Amino acid sequence: GGGKGNGHVARNIRLCWFLTDMVQPWLEIHQADDLPNQVTPGFKFSIRWEAGGGMSITEAKIVCSSSSSSQNFCTSTTISNGKIWEDGKKLPSIQSQVQLLPSAPGGSLSLYVTAKFDQEWASPTRKEKDKGNPQTHFVRARTDASWLAINEKRDGKSVVTGHVWWSSNRVNLNVKSRRRAHSSPEK
């Protein structure tokens, strides 16, 4: 219904803002505690991050990786089936507890959040499910990593590339290397 501040124009403007946000999932780390200049393996801290561009987070994890390895050198609370919106309102940022593994190498590590969004959209649950999987760019771009659609136009081309995992901005962690104690040779 209508009502003050909720007329036809105001509703359509809010709908446009919402759909603009929904074009592509996004993640952003807002706060990574007041991290010291250098941390040690086993260090515990918390980060605050936000997600948008989707209705739900199917799965999210915190990653601490080096440029030379794809191994994750931290553990954290895992988020699964988390809502981004509830009762027409975007939920606040998420806080996650993180701990560097004792095996974390010395040097620079990148800390970031990675997440899957709205994966339930890929499963056909509508009455027409016998007609196959969802075909829209909107759904396929966030649920099918192999999706690629190219539309040639007079002024260039438009490309829609599928992703399943989306990543946040990166925060640099300087990890102090652990020195092994050397025993002196016996004489």
Side-chain angles (χ1 to χ4, degrees), residues 101-143:
L101 295 176
S103 61
S108 182
L109 292 181
S110 286
L111 167 77
Y112 60 97
V113 180
T114 184
K116 291 180 182 181
F117 290 80
D118 305 317
Q119 294 300 296
E120 65 278 5
W121 293 359
S123 112
T125 56
R126 59 197 193 289
K127 292 177 188 172
E128 305 87 20
K129 66 182 170 191
D130 59 326
K131 296 187 180 183
N133 291 328
Q135 297 296 310
T136 66
H137 292 311
F138 192 70
V139 172
R140 299 288 298 269
R142 67 186 68 218
T143 62

Side-chain angles (χ1 to χ4, degrees), residues 140-156:
R140 299 288 298 269
R142 67 186 68 218
T143 62
D144 182 354
S146 65
W147 181 251
L148 175 65
I150 301 172
N151 183 10
E152 299 285 341
K153 301 187 294 187
R154 267 187 277 164
D155 57 345

